[in-house]
Amino acid sequence: MYTINHLKKIKKNKQKFAVLTVYDATFAKLLYNQGINVMLVGDSLGMVIQGYNSTLSVTINDIIYHVRCVKNGAPNCLLLADLPFMSYNNNEQALNNSIKLMRVGANIIKLEVINQWSLDIVNYLTKYSVPICGHIGLTPQYVNFLGGYKIQGIHKNDANRLLNYAISLEESGVVMLLLEHIPELLAKKITEKLKIPVVGIGAGVHTDGQILVLQDMLGINNNIPVFAKNYLNNYISIAISNYIKEVESGVFPINKN
Ligand code: KIV
């Protein structure tokens, strides 16, 4: 069983770790067999599974369903799961929804931290020893508030605010931090300052780990963010188009009688 202690050791030894999002058992098993030990059932499923243009549609029941699928495929992975939009509006709701996710197999609960109110919610959860990953920087659940999917922490005040949030989160007992779409030097500063493992997406090379959305790195999502990378070069599209061609031309199926 992979645990947060493995990530702490990786950080201590100045090594790096790779994380991917995943939503189903088949991919979870494949990822785990390839050496991805840490996975996230994120609310990006609103875009890459449900086809919406934001994460706002995702409910706690959607996350529960996908956590079950992923844990069936990779029972020994360290599984992070998102508390989706407006599912942690007050202490009791946040605690109850975290419990629901942990009961079906989530090991760490991730939530987006945008202000003092969300810091207070995290404080409440850690009092109950819920293992939390704070998500700061670009927080997609607040896309309407932020005015778009823009890089955060550019201006000095904003950078200081994010640095202070990171410190407060560590002090409140979170086990991990995720930085999304912030300047590389700010991510470096935060990563060096904190003892807990820090994973980044669009935050440069200095974080302890990197995370990508599976569909982005497979190049099968049309709206791939600027900081993602396509590692598959359209092989899935080529496979599907070859299948169509072979059916239409009668090459498939092969008559084995
Ligand atoms: O939901 C998600 O996939 C995420 C990633 C962008 C890290 O939070």
Side-chain angles (χ1 to χ4, degrees):
M1 183 75 198
Y2 208 80
T3 73
I4 186 67
N5 293 339
H6 289 95
L7 297 185
K8 284 186 191 155
K9 203 166 163 199
I10 288 176
K11 175 157 185 147
K12 212 171 157 206
N13 294 342
K14 299 195 184 324
Q15 294 165 325
K16 302 271 182 186
F17 58 90
V19 185
L20 283 172
T21 66
V22 62
Y23 305 105
D24 66 81
T26 307
F27 265 115
K29 191 171 181 180
L30 194 141
L31 263 47
Y32 192 75
N33 289 341
Q34 287 306 312
I36 294 282
N37 298 305
V38 189
M39 305 183 198
L40 166 69
V41 172
D43 58 4
S44 56
L45 74 85
M47 283 125 141
V48 298
I49 302 292
Q50 297 175 337
Y52 294 105
N53 63 5
S54 80
T55 61
L56 273 56
S57 59
V58 179
T59 65
I60 192 73
N61 287 337
D62 295 333
I63 302 281
I64 289 172
Y65 171 80
H66 289 281
V67 165
R68 280 204 170 103
C69 297
V70 168
K71 262 288 152 125
N72 286 340
N76 292 326
C77 77
L78 177 65
L79 185 59
L80 279 71
D82 263 341
L83 280 178
F85 182 58
M86 295 292 158
S87 70
Y88 48 103
N89 288 335
N90 57 57
N91 290 343
E92 286 315 308
Q93 188 196 28
L95 183 61
N96 287 335
N97 283 330
S98 302
I99 293 169
K100 284 183 190 166
L101 294 179
M102 294 187 74
R103 286 212 164 115
V104 291
N107 305 110
I108 296 178
I109 305 300
K110 178 165 88 58
L111 59 88
E112 297 183 5
V113 173
I114 190 166
N115 51 24
Q116 188 56 46
W117 155 79
S118 33
L119 281 171
D120 292 345
I121 297 276
V122 170
N123 245 313
Y124 182 78
L125 294 175
T126 53
K127 277 201 192 93
Y128 286 86
S129 299
V130 177
I132 298 291
C133 173
H135 178 159
I136 62 171
L138 172 58
T139 44
Q141 290 173 14
Y142 300 96
V143 59
N144 295 312
F145 182 76
L146 297 174
Y149 295 103
K150 297 181 201 152
I151 187 162
Q152 303 294 308
I154 295 273
H155 304 295
K156 205 169 169 215
N157 284 350
D158 202 30
N160 282 338
R161 184 179 57 84
L162 291 175
L163 177 63
N164 289 334
Y165 282 0
I167 295 168
S168 301
L169 284 166
E170 181 166 74
E171 281 170 358
S172 84
V174 308
V175 297
M176 200 171 167
L177 186 72
L178 187 146
L179 304 176
E180 179 165 354
H181 210 12
I182 63 168
E184 185 166 79
L185 287 182
L186 176 59
K188 182 172 190 275
K189 200 166 173 183
I190 292 174
T191 305
E192 286 170 359
K193 185 104 190 145
L194 301 192
K195 289 193 184 67
I196 54 171
V198 177
V199 61
I201 176 164
V205 294
H206 301 288
T207 51
D208 305 307
Q210 294 291 330
I211 180 166
L212 281 179
V213 172
L214 182 65
Q215 281 77 355
D216 290 346
M217 64 84 71
L218 294 180
I220 52 175
N221 176 19
N222 287 338
N223 286 323
I224 183 166
V226 280
F227 47 76
K229 180 174 170 186
N230 175 355
Y231 283 85
L232 195 69
N233 293 326
N234 295 329
Y235 289 132
I236 291 188
S237 313
I238 293 167
I240 294 167
S241 125
N242 284 345
Y243 166 66
I244 296 169
K245 277 188 211 139
E246 290 197 1
V247 169
E248 288 177 351
S249 64
V251 171
F252 181 85
I254 304 152
N255 190 344
K256 288 192 175 152
N257 294 329

